[in-house]
Amino acid sequence: MPQVSLTPADVEVLPRNREYDIARSLERDWFDNHPFKTAWFNAMSITFPLGEKFFIDSVRHFSDQIDDPKLNEEIRGFCGQEGFHRREHQRYNETLCRMRGYDLNYLEGRLEKNIERGKKFLSPLERLAATAAFEHITAIMAESALSEDNPMINSADSAMRAMWQWHAAEEMEHKAVAFDVYRAVGGAEKMRKRAMRQATFFLMLDVMIGLVHMLRKDKKLWNVSLWSQGWKFLFFKDGILRRVWGAYKEYYRDGFHPWDRDTRPLLQSWKLNESQALTA
Ligand SMILES: [Fe+2]
Ligand SMILES: [Fe+2]
């Protein structure tokens, strides 16, 4: 039987049923007291519940074609992890929109339409390729979020940080699951790379639309200095997107695999910190 899971043997894709009390943080600009930076992360959160449902469906579609018991176990872990992420981010998004007057129906309605369109026009294999691409994006963002110099350390309170880092750690654990399924069912390199270009475009577009909606509701949309600070936060030296650019580009290399980046030390230190925090 061919070995198709390339997740290292000492990495377990383990769903953790965590709940975080973040309502008080969501009421205010929880990231660095900064409206743009906060809205950026909040807009990312909006995409998760529907996005992660799409990922689960895309991977599950192929699960009965997978013979490798290790990969099958990881698919179950992947669906469990994304299921808990969906639940927590749904609660996050509903609380956020209620407290700050954002229109969740508008934001999710757009996403829903795009996903429906994706289901109509993309083959199951293309949807799986899109999932593998989104999973790489979340994995490299996760890598940044779990690094010692991550921008959240001094910028967010402990509940928000714990929530985002829990999500990041599990994204890292399952970063190769959709990818390995894609390879196991014969997905080609060309389609994989094309899916990444499309995934990047749609994710950036959706996050920007969410961001604009939130800043407009906050009556800060036309604040030029806020946008210039926000742009620096994303793209300048140490910007959160600049930090992941090198890892992002690796996806376009022939033969790339997500575990070419051995991120186990980051997972280990997250587990250690989390178990200390939970027993404290
Ligand atoms: Fe997730
Ligand atoms: Fe994921």
Side-chain angles (χ1 to χ4, degrees), residues 140-147 150-153 164-165 168 243:
I140 59 177
M141 300 292 282
E143 207 177 303
S144 171
L146 295 175
S147 303
N150 88 77
M152 250 186 217
I153 289 206
W164 281 96
Q165 289 195 328
R243 282 162 61 94

Side-chain angles (χ1 to χ4, degrees), residues 177-239:
V177 177
F179 192 100
D180 285 341
V181 173
Y182 178 74
R183 266 200 184 162
V185 298
E189 291 291 84
K190 199 173 164 194
M191 183 193 287
R192 179 176 73 75
K193 294 178 198 175
R194 188 178 63 225
M196 178 54 104
R197 286 190 287 275
Q198 292 167 342
T200 308
F201 174 77
F202 282 108
L203 180 66
M204 287 303 119
L205 183 67
D206 280 324
V207 173
M208 285 312 288
I209 286 173
L211 177 90
V212 165
H213 174 81
M214 291 172 191
L215 290 180
R216 178 178 289 135
K217 290 277 176 189
D218 291 347
K219 303 203 176 356
K220 288 177 180 143
L221 184 59
W222 301 107
N223 185 331
V224 175
S225 74
L226 196 71
W227 277 87
S228 104
Q229 290 159 11
W231 233 238
K232 277 187 194 143
F233 167 72
L234 297 179
F235 299 113
F236 279 33
K237 192 170 167 287
D238 286 335

Side-chain angles (χ1 to χ4, degrees), residues 48 52 81-82 85-86 135 138 167 171 174:
F48 289 145
E52 291 180 319
Q81 288 186 333
E82 297 293 37
H85 302 168
R86 290 191 63 205
E135 288 294 322
T138 51
H167 192 164
E171 288 303 320
H174 73 230

